[in-house]
Amino acid sequence: MTHEAEGGTTQRGLLRTVWDFTFRMILRYIKNSYKDDPFRTFLEACLIGFIIWYITKQKYNIGNNEIVLSEKEIDELVEEWRPEPLVPELTDFEREMLDKSVLIDGPNGTKVHLASGGSNNKPVLNFTSYNFLGLADSPGLETRAIGTLRKYGVGSCGPPGFYGTLDVHMELEKQVAAFIGHSAAILYSQAFTTTLSVVPCFSKRGDVIVADEGVSFAVQQAVLLSRSKVHWFKHNDMADLERVLGEVNKQLAGRRGKKTLPRKFIITEGLFHNTGDIAPLDAIVDLKRRYKFRIILDESYSFGILGKRGAGLTDHFNIDPHEIDLLIGSLCYGVGASGGFCCADKDLVEHQRLSGLGYCFSASMPGILTVAASDAIQALEASPEKFLAGLRENTTLLRTLLKRIAGLQVDGAPDSPIIHVRLSPDTLVRMKRSGGAWTKTDIDRVLNELSDEALKDGVLLLPAKYVDDHEHILPNSSIRICVSTAHTRKEIEKCAHAVKSAVSRITSKKR
């Protein structure tokens, strides 16, 4: 018992010693801490107090608020619940147009078969396709594409930055840059997302964009996604553009020295999809220099079409492509393939490989379409007159014939293969015999009747479609006619005759 008592006493003495030592160390730490940094002591005391409060506070118990429902009540709630529609319900007119949608059965080209069996199931002339150079159904490109398909397969199955880059991708990037005359180029797998990726990649929140009111839906969405401060100028109005640029610079002048000045961009299209107009690039470049802006030019519809070589708007105006900071183009329309590209200085191109969302997170362009685009550009480089001379001749001829039709308004630039036609205001007034104003639905219905009448004569025409609720400025209703170099003179004349007959028939109806 004596030994056990002595052992207990020794253990208690050891614990007391350890406690005294620990207490003295803590006390010394507090004294030194308060002496050297009293705020630190206050902060640690608050932290300890918060920990004690958090541990001891009353916990929220979700079970106390649980509402118990009977089976009958649950069934009643389920019966009353109605889900919100994923999309708005179609109007009667929209349903009518959807039911009359045209479906092409077979390959695209200047002559197509319709699945609906229109025009007595005979092939009809196609003036709705963006196949401007007639390359979409080229037999030579088709043969080469089949060989590429056997070598590379259907798709890359990965984004370019991972394992989706093929040798043909890198070759096409060099080829596009050399053809346009810029420093470097980057490929995107989809034309629509090219603009959506490039603009937000460089223009961020706090930056400034001055954009043309007539740009296409893709450019509008790109501007929206950038979250930049947006100023709009009147379509192709250089006086209004200069006014807006001056106002922007005045607003930014007061910010000098306070914060970093924002990046400033002018955004426009080369060939406007919604109007068929051509941007006056020479005047825009002059304003860019005077007001210290950068230019983002969307050449989706002008690449392969405008200029002596088909190199786009810079070729059309004989302007050095390096004057355009970011030149965006499409490989869908002019060269009949798929995807898009952006030409710029090498540093700007490399920046997109890390920050361009469409490049980083989308599978790369299939090898078969890459080779098709490369062969098309090579053919255009080898003999530009073979494609461009016929396109301009057909465009001039059709535009001349359409302007001779009474009651028809023809819009667009003389060199534009995109021609918008609509009934003139005077014609609409004469047609509205019942009185009252024309609504957009009324005009759309008349234009659909016009296209139906043209189809009876074997010519496929369609009204231009827009996302009405999301357009910055909704374009006037029209029929968009697309001319191809593959159309013959006889086919051009047949198209004009079909439009003339259709206009005559629909304007003679009582309304």
Side-chain angles (χ1 to χ4, degrees):
M1 294 295 293
T2 303
H3 292 293
E4 293 178 357
E6 291 177 354
T9 303
T10 303
Q11 187 176 10
R12 286 193 295 273
L14 180 60
L15 290 174
R16 185 179 295 107
T17 303
V18 172
W19 169 254
D20 291 343
F21 177 78
T22 303
F23 179 75
R24 290 172 183 172
M25 289 295 294
I26 293 174
L27 187 62
R28 182 184 300 174
Y29 168 78
I30 294 175
K31 288 181 179 180
N32 292 337
S33 175
Y34 181 79
K35 179 180 179 181
D36 298 334
D37 190 0
F39 177 75
R40 177 182 174 185
T41 303
F42 172 75
L43 187 62
E44 291 177 348
C46 293
L47 181 61
I48 294 173
F50 173 77
I51 294 174
I52 296 173
W53 169 81
Y54 184 79
I55 294 175
T56 57
K57 76 169 186 174
Q58 183 179 3
K59 300 297 188 296
Y60 174 74
N61 188 356
I62 193 172
N64 296 336
N65 300 322
E66 183 178 0
I67 300 175
V68 180
L69 299 176
S70 65
E71 291 293 331
K72 181 180 179 181
E73 291 173 327
I74 293 175
D75 292 339
E76 290 176 351
L77 290 175
V78 172
E79 184 66 25
E80 294 173 359
W81 181 74
R82 294 291 182 272
E84 291 288 336
L86 295 178
V87 295
E89 292 188 7
L90 297 178
T91 63
D92 293 339
F93 176 71
E94 290 172 338
R95 175 60 61 183
E96 178 186 345
M97 293 301 100
L98 182 62
D99 293 338
K100 294 171 62 176
S101 297
V102 175
L103 180 62
I104 295 177
D105 183 13
N108 195 3
T110 55
K111 293 183 179 180
V112 294
H113 286 273
L114 302 184
S116 58
S119 192
N120 300 321
N121 206 27
K122 295 180 180 179
V124 298
L125 291 178
N126 184 10
F127 281 85
T128 64
S129 172
Y130 299 112
N131 183 24
F132 299 118
L133 301 184
L135 294 170
D137 52 347
S138 172
L141 295 182
E142 182 179 347
T143 303
R144 177 75 188 279
I146 294 174
T148 306
L149 180 63
R150 299 185 187 279
K151 180 178 180 180
Y152 293 102
V154 176
S156 62
C157 302
F162 191 28
Y163 54 83
T165 298
L166 305 174
D167 55 347
V168 290
H169 291 144
M170 295 183 288
E171 292 170 4
L172 181 57
E173 288 180 345
K174 295 178 182 178
Q175 185 181 13
V176 169
F179 179 62
I180 290 181
H182 223 304
S183 304
I186 181 173
L187 290 180
Y188 288 85
S189 56
Q190 294 178 334
F192 189 86
T193 57
T194 302
T195 308
L196 295 179
S197 299
V198 174
V199 175
C201 183
F202 294 97
S203 185
K204 309 289 185 180
R205 188 189 300 275
D207 294 331
V208 177
I209 290 176
V210 178
D212 191 300
E213 288 182 340
V215 293
S216 65
F217 183 69
V219 180
Q220 294 176 35
Q221 293 303 299
V223 169
L224 180 64
L225 289 176
S226 72
R227 300 175 296 175
S228 304
K229 177 66 175 177
V230 184
H231 302 265
W232 299 94
F233 67 93
K234 296 178 182 179
H235 174 55
N236 264 2
D237 188 334
M238 295 299 100
D240 192 57
L241 171 59
E242 184 172 10
R243 177 189 63 80
V244 174
L245 296 180
E247 290 179 356
V248 169
N249 281 350
K250 285 182 181 179
Q251 293 174 7
L252 297 178
R255 298 173 55 179
R256 294 185 182 277
K258 296 182 180 180
K259 56 176 69 175
T260 304
L261 289 176
R263 287 165 290 214
K264 304 179 296 183
F265 298 94
I266 300 172
I267 299 183
T268 188
E269 282 185 271
L271 174 58
F272 287 87
H273 179 242
N274 293 345
T275 61
D277 295 328
I278 295 175
L281 187 61
D282 50 352
I284 294 175
V285 170
D286 179 61
L287 292 174
K288 162 214 168 179
R289 295 170 181 164
R290 288 163 53 191
Y291 289 91
K292 309 302 181 183
F293 272 71
R294 298 179 174 93
I295 295 180
I296 300 179
L297 177 63
D298 188 336
E299 295 225 56
S300 294
Y301 296 92
S302 53
F303 174 71
I305 309 301
L306 298 181
K308 296 179 180 179
R309 301 182 299 110
L313 202 61
T314 54
D315 185 23
H316 183 75
F317 284 96
N318 195 26
I319 292 176
D320 184 359
H322 290 88
E323 293 283 358
I324 311 302
D325 301 274
L326 294 166
L327 192 153
I328 302 167
S330 169
L331 300 172
C332 297
Y333 312 119
V335 298
S338 182
F341 63 86
C342 177
C343 286
D345 291 338
K346 187 175 180 180
D347 291 343
L348 300 182
V349 167
E350 294 304 317
H351 176 70
Q352 294 177 62
R353 300 192 193 279
L354 297 177
S355 303
L357 299 183
Y359 185 87
C360 296
F361 301 108
S362 296
S364 60
M365 192 191 311
I368 180 175
L369 296 174
T370 307
V371 172
S374 177
D375 288 351
I377 295 175
Q378 187 175 356
L380 183 59
E381 281 184 297
S383 53
E385 285 301 314
K386 174 184 175 182
F387 298 97
L388 300 178
L391 178 62
R392 289 166 188 150
E393 182 180 341
N394 288 345
T395 299
T396 302
L397 175 60
L398 182 57
R399 191 177 292 276
T400 301
L401 295 175
L402 291 174
K403 286 184 176 181
R404 295 175 182 173
I405 300 174
L408 194 68
Q409 179 180 324
V410 183
D411 294 335
D415 294 335
S416 170
I418 299 177
I419 304 174
H420 286 262
V421 297
R422 54 180 59 90
L423 296 178
S424 65
D426 293 340
T427 303
L428 292 174
V429 171
R430 289 195 302 269
M431 290 173 61
K432 199 73 170 181
R433 296 185 177 91
S434 60
W438 283 88
T439 64
K440 184 179 184 302
T441 301
D442 293 335
I443 298 176
D444 289 342
R445 182 171 279 108
V446 169
L447 292 178
N448 274 279
E449 291 178 16
L450 193 154
S451 63
D452 291 342
E453 293 294 332
L455 186 59
K456 294 177 182 178
D457 292 333
V459 176
L460 179 60
L461 302 174
L462 292 176
K465 302 294 184 182
Y466 305 101
V467 188
D468 294 6
D469 296 335
H470 296 279
E471 293 282 349
H472 173 66
I473 294 181
L474 184 62
N476 294 326
S477 300
S478 66
I479 289 180
R480 184 187 295 117
I481 301 177
C482 298
V483 184
S484 173
T485 190
H487 286 129
T488 65
R489 182 181 182 88
K490 186 177 180 180
E491 291 170 346
I492 294 293
E493 292 173 347
K494 182 177 179 179
C495 174
H497 182 268
V499 173
K500 181 178 180 179
S501 299
V503 171
S504 176
R505 288 194 289 266
I506 66 171
T507 54
S508 62
K509 291 182 180 179
K510 291 184 179 181
R511 300 181 186 274

